Amino acid sequence: MKKIEKSIEIQATRETVWAAIISDKKYRLWNEDFQKGSYFEGSWQKGDRIRFLSKNENGVPSGVISEIASSEHLQFISILHLGLITKGLEDMTSEEAKLWTPGFENYHLEALAENVTRFSVETDVDDRYYTFFQEAWKAALDSLKKVCEENLAPFASITVETVVEAPVEKVWIYWTEPEYILKWAFASAEWYCPKSINDLRVGGHYATTMASKDGQMAFDLGGTYTEVVPLIRIVSQLDDGRMVWTSFEVIEPNLTKVIETFEAEDENTLDLQRNGWQAILNNFKLAVESH
């Protein structure tokens, strides 16, 4: 294999560039330069399997199956290619598959200034495809720059808030400590929170599981902290690239306003998302005030 190394300076924060990599809608825009209709299935946490795909005229996917070998939020992603997907089937043993594996595709993000990021890629390619990928990566980096600087496929922002009858110190504890998160991190009485982990520091990861009591549904909401100012503000980036801003305002010694602004996903309506996040926030208020 040969190695391709390229980089580009982008007038945007690392959070913006990171989101363009791991957000489905944004990823599709800058990966058109490799294959029309390119997309991914999977997630970007260390150890996760991920499939990079495109579909033919009959809707049959082909591409590469990979694993996230390393993921350091806002800094580095290493993708280990394991095999091919041909006519929808995984292939890790054919001679063609072996031309691609094991091969790494590494992304580096470097903050050059407050709103300037250098994105670098180094990737292993088979000799036969070297020229194609040289040109494709050059075009893709230009497209990535445009996606970030022009905020293409933007996330809509939604704000919810509540006023809690409690001092900010108690509000902070209930918001950040897992034993208390279990008491409120769900939207209705038919749901509950069976698990919560929280590494409350810049670069720390959190994950909360919400599950229906009938056992039919469950999902995780996780992210990584980018700013933590005790008793005042928390900023994090969700595992799909969206941002969340939470602030705590002292109105009176025993009265605290919690304001949460989040970037919406595109699977559910804005009203449904707003109502869901507000319901969880209402549960939080009830949990704090009743204990």
Side-chain angles (χ1 to χ4, degrees):
M1 287 189 178
K2 289 185 177 180
K3 189 178 293 292
I4 292 174
E5 296 179 312
K6 292 187 178 297
S7 66
I8 193 168
E9 290 188 13
I10 300 172
Q11 303 296 310
T13 64
R14 286 191 297 174
E15 289 86 353
T16 299
V17 179
W18 187 270
I21 298 169
I22 69 172
S23 164
D24 174 62
K25 288 179 69 175
K26 293 176 182 288
Y27 176 91
R28 291 173 185 256
L29 293 177
W30 65 274
N31 272 265
E32 283 277 308
D33 296 295
F34 295 103
Q35 179 72 37
K36 186 176 181 180
S38 292
Y39 65 101
F40 68 84
E41 293 179 346
S43 54
W44 295 82
Q45 294 296 310
K46 181 179 179 180
D48 289 345
R49 285 293 178 96
I50 189 166
R51 293 152 56 103
F52 300 98
L53 303 165
S54 62
K55 293 180 180 179
N56 64 17
E57 62 276 8
N58 297 317
V60 179
S62 62
V64 180
I65 181 168
S66 308
E67 179 180 295
I68 304 301
S70 181
S71 182
E72 300 174 22
H73 187 245
L74 304 184
Q75 298 180 63
F76 179 64
I77 298 174
S78 179
I79 305 163
L80 172 61
H81 298 311
L82 303 173
L84 299 180
I85 299 168
T86 306
K87 297 181 179 179
L89 301 176
E90 294 183 4
D91 169 20
M92 299 186 186
T93 59
S94 71
E95 291 304 314
E96 181 65 19
K98 291 177 181 178
L99 294 175
W100 294 89
T101 60
F104 283 91
E105 187 172 315
N106 297 328
Y107 304 154
H108 300 265
L109 287 73
E110 179 185 0
L112 301 180
E114 185 176 355
N115 288 299
V116 183
T117 302
R118 177 185 289 123
F119 175 85
S120 303
V121 59
E122 53 185 30
T123 182
D124 300 319
V125 298
D126 179 73
D127 290 1
R128 296 178 300 170
Y129 302 103
Y130 182 78
T131 300
F132 168 79
F133 277 100
Q134 277 275 22
E135 295 302 316
W137 266 111
K138 182 179 183 301
L141 291 185
D142 289 337
S143 295
L144 176 63
K145 180 180 175 71
K146 182 177 181 180
V147 168
C148 296
E149 293 183 351
E150 298 183 14
N151 190 29
L152 302 183
F155 298 118
S157 291
I158 297 174
T159 297
V160 294
E161 61 182 63
T162 191
V163 175
V164 184
E165 294 185 22
V168 69
E169 292 82 1
K170 181 180 180 181
V171 171
W172 181 268
I173 289 172
Y174 268 74
W175 191 268
T176 60
E177 295 191 8
E179 64 177 292
Y180 296 107
I181 294 172
L182 298 179
K183 300 178 184 294
W184 59 265
F186 46 91
S188 69
E190 292 76 29
W191 288 70
Y192 75 113
C193 176
K195 182 180 179 182
S196 177
I197 60 172
N198 192 26
D199 184 6
L200 186 62
R201 60 182 177 84
V202 173
H205 190 260
Y206 64 90
T208 299
T209 300
M210 303 180 192
S212 59
K213 291 180 178 178
D214 62 11
Q216 297 300 306
M217 297 178 64
F219 66 92
D220 293 324
L221 184 70
T224 303
Y225 293 111
T226 62
E227 184 180 5
V228 178
V229 183
L231 307 183
I232 297 176
R233 182 172 60 256
I234 297 174
V235 182
S236 68
Q237 186 162 34
L238 297 176
D239 290 339
D240 60 6
R242 297 179 293 134
M243 299 297 297
V244 182
W245 299 267
T246 307
S247 64
F248 305 85
E249 298 182 5
V250 176
I251 301 174
E252 296 177 2
N254 202 47
L255 212 58
T256 305
K257 178 183 285 188
V258 180
I259 304 171
E260 193 169 27
T261 299
F262 65 95
E263 293 182 320
E265 38 88 354
D266 57 3
E267 293 184 6
N268 298 288
T269 66
L270 297 183
D271 282 343
L272 186 62
Q273 293 179 69
R274 179 183 293 106
N275 293 340
W277 284 62
Q278 184 67 59
I280 295 171
L281 196 54
N282 293 344
N283 256 2
F284 171 75
K285 171 183 169 70
L286 179 62
V288 177
E289 294 179 350
S290 62
H291 290 83

